[in-house]
Every structure is written in C-alpha cells, then in structure tokens.
Amino acid sequence: MNLCREKGYKEQEFTFLSHEINNPRGIIIIAYGVAESAERYNYLASQLNLDNYNVYVINHINHGPYCNSNLLGHWEKHDFDGCLFNINVLYKKLKSQFSHLNFILLGHSMGSFMAQKYFLLYPNDFNGLILSGCAKSDFIFKFGALFSSFLAIFNNKHKRMPIINNLSFASFNKKFKPNKTSCDWLCKDEDICKHYESTKHIGFIATSGFYKEFYTSIAKIPNKAYKKLFSKDFPILLIGGKEDMVSNRGKKLIKLYEFYAKQSNDISYKLFDNDRHEIFNETDKDMVIDYVKTWLRRIK
C-alpha cells in the first residue's frame, strides 16, 4: 500500500492509496462516502489483491487525514463534479500504464452517486460498475437539497451544520436502539463504529457549503439525463444490506436497479440479510467480498 499524490481539479493536489500487485488481472478504483477516508478500504483492497486486482482508493476534495483541518468536510460549488474530475485524472494515469486491463469503478454511498454521474460526464472509460450502499434519489433527497440550500442562505458556507447531520445520518441510528455508538447504522461491528466516531478525519460534521453541494448534486441522480447511460451488455452490480437505512432497507436500491435494468441486460443486485449500510465493514464482510469477487471474475 502506498500513499500517492496527483494534481487534479483546479490544479489542487489530491491523495489516493494504491494497493498494487505484480501482474494484475484488472484495475478497481473506489469512490467512498461522506466523511470517509481511503484507509477505511484497506481490508477490502487486500482481499481484492488476493484475487489479482490492483485497487486504488481516492480521497475526495477536503476529505482524508492529509486535509487541512479547517477545510475538512467543506465543499464549494462544483466540488462534487471536481471529485469526478480527480477520478478521471487517476483513471487516465492508470490507463496509460495498464491499457490492456479492464477497469471497474466501485462507488459506495455518496460514491455510488458519484460513480453514476461519472459515466454521464466521462462515458466509455470503465468496463464495469459496482454500486454499494446505493439508493435511487427520491423526495427525501430532494427535500435535503431544498433544506440545505435554504440554510445556506442564512449561514456562512464554512459553518458546521449539526442540524443537517441530525436530520439525516443521526436519524438512522434511532432504528437500532438501544444504541452502542452514535453510528450503529453503519454496521454491526462495534469496533468499526467506535473508530468512526472517535477519529477526527472521519465521521465529522460537514459545512453548510458541503451539504448544499452534496444534496443538490445527488438529488438529480438519476434523472432523465441518465436514461441512456449504459449499453445493453454493460455489467452492473448493485449491493447493499437489508437493514441499510440509506436505501430504506433495500427498497430504494431495488428502485435504482429497476431504473438501469431498462438499459443493461447484464445487471444484478444482491441484498445481504441483517447487514446495514457499510457491507464491506460488516461482520460477514468476507462473504460480501467473495460475492463481489465471483461477479468480477466473469468480466473478461
């Protein structure tokens, strides 16, 4: 595993972790969720390495341990698309090195929305798509866009917004009482949750500017612009937990599957029993990863 740096959006430096092996069979780039960091995917990357994949996990704009603490969790307008620009920078760099290999984009949570828009902005780059902890945007996401935009009128864009955090992510926790941590909604592994809530550069409350950019971006994914995103034979896998509150216990994941099933005949989904939002951190994560490996092996 190596920490790498590249110049990306607005010529700003971004970091990513590379997990490389000799003679890989394919390349996987991972886009993660809100208030995460690349090292949270070390275990997943190590298991994919065992199946001969190089794995790269990019730190989004103002995310990760190397971000200035004052800017951690802050976005300006267009920074959502700026994260996609950075993914494309990394893709082009790796494609020049591994032009003969298949490239897979794996997006988790917020990263699943990013991955969909990536294909809208940069078609034909990747050979397959995995969406984890995903959901089809609905009125709740649109309300988030309206509410965060309303609050942004009356608050400095750099102000931390616990009210939005409480109405969204914190509300998920109420479904898993009695709570052991403030983020039991993530997964059943108490150690993972405790690390998430106690680590400064993850699990943070973001700024007014971030929430406005985040919700106004994801509220539009997918809309009518996405109705011809994929070819009939493009491989897509949607995975999540049956107890994931982001997808309303899988219902919104199935809605997303139905949307893209009208385009691709090579699409499937899997909901894992008793699992919550972060299926790659769940107590049965090895079973989840084995399922993903099996799906990956069929992409030639």
Side-chain angles (χ1 to χ4, degrees):
M1 178 182 71
N2 292 297
L3 174 70
C4 306
R5 301 174 186 271
E6 286 289 334
K7 282 288 186 69
Y9 182 60
K10 295 181 178 178
E11 289 299 305
Q12 295 173 349
E13 187 179 74
F14 67 91
T15 62
F16 63 94
L17 290 181
S18 65
H19 305 257
E20 296 184 328
I21 58 169
N22 293 325
N23 301 315
R25 64 193 290 177
I27 306 296
I28 298 173
I29 297 178
I30 298 177
Y32 57 61
V34 173
E36 286 203 81
S37 186
E39 77 274 5
R40 298 191 79 232
Y41 292 81
N42 286 352
Y43 182 78
L44 171 61
S46 70
Q47 298 306 299
L48 292 171
N49 281 166
L50 293 176
D51 233 35
N52 298 318
Y53 290 93
N54 277 2
V55 181
Y56 305 85
V57 192
I58 195 167
N59 279 313
H60 298 312
I61 294 171
N62 290 335
H63 280 62
Y66 306 98
C67 174
N68 182 306
S69 60
N70 293 326
L71 293 175
L72 185 68
H74 174 67
W75 274 357
E76 298 284 343
K77 188 175 182 180
H78 303 309
D79 275 355
F80 185 93
D81 287 359
C83 292
L84 306 187
F85 182 92
N86 290 349
I87 294 172
N88 183 249
V89 168
L90 178 57
Y91 167 82
K92 288 189 292 187
K93 172 184 173 66
L94 296 173
K95 192 66 176 178
S96 68
Q97 297 175 251
F98 304 104
S99 59
H100 61 294
L101 298 180
N102 283 330
F103 278 66
I104 309 297
L105 182 58
L106 191 165
H108 171 72
S109 196
M110 174 178 72
S112 72
F113 289 96
M114 288 181 166
Q116 293 170 72
K117 190 168 186 182
Y118 185 94
F119 280 87
L120 185 70
L121 299 181
Y122 306 98
N124 305 315
D125 277 2
F126 286 85
N127 307 103
L129 174 64
I130 302 173
L131 302 179
S132 163
C134 54
K136 187 177 186 295
S137 182
D138 62 5
F139 71 94
I140 294 177
F141 292 91
K142 291 176 174 60
F143 172 78
L146 289 171
F147 186 63
S148 59
S149 296
F150 175 77
L151 289 181
I153 297 173
F154 302 100
N155 291 279
N156 183 288
K157 62 185 179 181
H158 289 276
K159 182 179 179 180
R160 305 285 164 176
M161 300 299 292
I163 183 174
I164 298 180
N165 187 77
N166 290 335
L167 286 173
S168 52
F169 307 118
S171 68
F172 296 152
N173 231 37
K174 297 177 182 178
K175 308 295 183 181
F176 300 103
K177 290 183 177 180
N179 296 138
K180 297 178 180 179
T181 72
S182 62
C183 51
D184 291 353
W185 62 278
L186 292 178
C187 64
K188 300 185 295 296
D189 189 323
E190 189 174 342
D191 289 338
I192 293 287
C193 294
K194 285 181 177 179
H195 183 266
Y196 182 90
E197 67 179 358
S198 65
T199 304
K200 183 178 180 180
H201 66 273
I202 59 176
F204 51 77
I205 295 175
T207 66
S208 172
F210 174 86
Y211 287 121
K212 179 182 178 182
E213 174 70 0
F214 168 67
Y215 276 110
T216 55
S217 295
I218 68 171
K220 304 171 185 176
I221 303 172
N223 58 24
K224 61 182 180 180
Y226 294 77
K227 288 187 175 180
K228 295 182 179 179
L229 205 58
F230 301 109
S231 64
K232 287 291 185 181
D233 59 351
F234 190 82
I236 307 170
L237 173 64
L238 282 63
I239 50 176
K242 284 189 177 180
E243 297 302 320
D244 181 6
M245 301 314 302
V246 173
S247 66
N248 190 18
R249 294 191 165 95
K251 295 182 179 66
K252 295 179 186 179
L253 184 152
I254 294 173
K255 290 287 187 183
L256 189 63
Y257 162 80
E258 292 171 343
F259 182 87
Y260 288 120
K262 296 176 182 178
Q263 301 176 41
S264 173
N265 294 324
D266 193 1
I267 183 172
S268 58
Y269 76 88
K270 173 71 174 178
L271 292 170
F272 293 89
D273 291 337
N274 302 314
D275 284 358
R276 301 177 188 178
H277 184 56
E278 292 190 343
I279 56 175
F280 294 121
N281 281 327
E282 268 292 6
T283 52
D284 63 348
K285 59 181 177 290
D286 288 327
M287 180 180 69
V288 174
I289 295 171
D290 283 344
Y291 186 90
V292 171
K293 286 181 179 180
T294 300
W295 183 85
L296 285 168
R297 289 177 196 137
R298 51 179 292 280
I299 299 179
K300 304 295 184 181

